[in-house]
């Protein structure tokens, strides 16, 4: 069965520190998608990134970067020079196919990130 | 700007009441989802719908039903609310094609059953 594990329940760092959120997944599919979402205190989940299983290039977007490694089934997320506004719950998710060309998502339990000023 | 709206941000109901949570999306998405979010458990799928009047059970459908009479609207119904249904409820929608797959979320409804 497919599964997403975010082993870090909560991380607390001081502003400007770098922080990495871990995501490990299990799947038997050869084609799949991985996602990261952010849930700020307001509650609404915001999409951050989607990565397909054939693209192992690392992605960088400003202070955010993602490291996808199929060999270890991991899709880790790093925030460089963290800011208080980065405080949120971050979710990793994995696509699971159902029916023809349709998908649902399998979610990790989330990591609560606290950035202290 | 894409939008998923939910009828209430906060709701307080009594045990045994029938509860309706409404979700509307304006992106013409085929898929719509209802999740429940509890601390330490992540998002758990209750039901999803891939077309009007079509629905599929998710991981935790017991105690819930859904209705999708129009493409843009997906309702979650608690037939007889119980205290263990106190939770945050999140609605989401998405396209069916792979390239456009990410799910868009509403702001959530925090339901308290007393």
């Amino acid at each position: 069965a497919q599964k997403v594990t975010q082993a870090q329940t909560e991380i607390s760092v001081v502003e400007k520190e770098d922080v990495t959120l871990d995501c490990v997944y299990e799947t038997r599919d050869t084609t799949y998608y991985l996602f990261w979402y952010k849930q700020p205190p307001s509650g609404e989940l915001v999409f951050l990134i989607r990565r397909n299983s054939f693209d192992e290039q690392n992605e960088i977007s400003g202070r955010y970067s993602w490291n996808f490694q199929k060999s270890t089934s991991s899709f880790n997320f790093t925030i460089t020079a963290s800011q208080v506004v980065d405080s949120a719950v971050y979710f990793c998710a994995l696509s699971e196919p159902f029916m023809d060309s349709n998908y649902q998502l399998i979610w990790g339990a989330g990591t609560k990130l606290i950035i202290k000023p | 700007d894409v939008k998923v709206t939910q009828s209430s941000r906060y709701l307080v109901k009594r045990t045994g009441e029938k509860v309706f949570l409404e979700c509307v999306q304006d992106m013409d998405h085929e898929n719509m989802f209802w999740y429940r979010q509890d601390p330490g458990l992540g998002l758990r799928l209750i039901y999803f719908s891939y077309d009007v009047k079509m629905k599929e059970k998710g991981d935790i459908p017991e105690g819930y039903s859904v209705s999708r009479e129009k493409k843009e609207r997906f309702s979650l119904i608690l037939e007889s609310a119980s205290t263990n249904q106190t939770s945050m409820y999140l609605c989401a929608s998405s396209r069916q094609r792979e390239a456009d797959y990410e799910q868009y979320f509403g702001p959530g409804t925090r339901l308290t059953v007393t």
Side-chain angles (χ1 to χ4, degrees):
Chain A
Q2 282 155 311
K3 188 178 174 183
V4 175
T5 302
Q6 294 180 256
Q8 304 149 309
T9 305
E10 184 173 306
I11 301 174
S12 182
V13 300
V14 176
E15 201 172 20
K16 296 184 184 164
E17 283 185 26
D18 298 347
V19 58
T20 295
L21 310 182
D22 297 332
C23 174
V24 174
Y25 63 94
E26 295 175 29
T27 181
R28 279 178 281 185
D29 295 325
T30 53
T31 302
Y32 52 89
Y33 289 83
L34 293 159
F35 299 78
W36 276 96
Y37 280 79
K38 173 182 180 180
Q39 186 181 37
S42 60
E44 188 166 332
L45 272 85
V46 176
F47 166 77
L48 294 178
I49 189 170
R50 175 185 57 242
R51 173 67 61 200
N52 78 50
S53 52
F54 296 108
D55 182 2
E56 285 194 74
Q57 275 196 320
N58 289 337
E59 177 97 8
I60 297 175
S61 176
R63 297 182 297 107
Y64 294 175
S65 62
W66 290 269
N67 181 281
F68 175 34
Q69 292 198 330
K70 280 177 87 167
S71 60
T72 56
S73 297
S74 65
F75 186 42
N76 296 337
F77 173 31
T78 298
I79 301 175
T80 304
S82 60
Q83 299 176 3
V84 172
V85 292
D86 295 326
S87 296
V89 180
Y90 291 86
F91 290 96
C92 180
L94 167 69
S95 64
E96 178 180 63
F98 74 94
M99 301 175 64
D100 294 325
S101 46
N102 209 351
Y103 291 81
Q104 59 171 320
L105 293 181
I106 307 300
W107 295 84
T111 297
K112 183 175 183 179
L113 178 62
I114 300 168
I115 311 295
K116 295 186 237 181
Chain B
D1 205 13
V2 297
K3 204 78 175 162
V4 179
T5 56
Q6 295 182 230
S7 49
S8 307
R9 288 302 302 270
Y10 300 93
L11 209 52
V12 180
K13 294 292 181 180
R14 292 190 180 272
T15 301
E17 278 192 80
K18 191 168 185 175
V19 181
F20 292 86
L21 302 182
E22 304 282 337
C23 175
V24 178
Q25 51 97 1
D26 65 1
M27 297 163 280
D28 200 36
H29 283 169
E30 296 86 357
N31 293 340
M32 294 188 76
F33 305 83
W34 274 107
Y35 291 96
R36 171 176 171 158
Q37 183 181 9
D38 299 290
L41 297 177
L43 276 67
R44 293 183 291 168
L45 183 64
I46 304 172
Y47 268 97
F48 64 91
S49 168
Y50 51 90
D51 202 349
V52 174
K53 296 191 189 294
M54 305 304 287
K55 62 187 180 187
E56 288 286 336
K57 291 181 181 179
D59 301 317
I60 52 165
E62 297 78 18
Y64 303 94
S65 62
V66 290
S67 172
R68 192 164 180 203
E69 296 295 320
K70 293 185 178 181
K71 190 175 186 180
E72 68 271 17
R73 189 179 296 269
F74 192 35
S75 303
L76 180 69
I77 303 152
L78 287 66
E79 295 289 343
S80 178
S82 64
T83 54
N84 62 13
Q85 292 178 309
T86 290
S87 188
M88 170 72 95
Y89 290 88
L90 295 167
C91 176
S93 71
S94 77
R95 296 189 192 284
Q96 289 186 353
R97 300 189 310 276
E98 284 183 39
D100 292 310
Y101 183 71
E102 65 257 33
Q103 294 185 10
Y104 295 86
F105 283 82
T109 295
R110 189 166 292 282
L111 173 67
T112 302
V113 182
T114 61

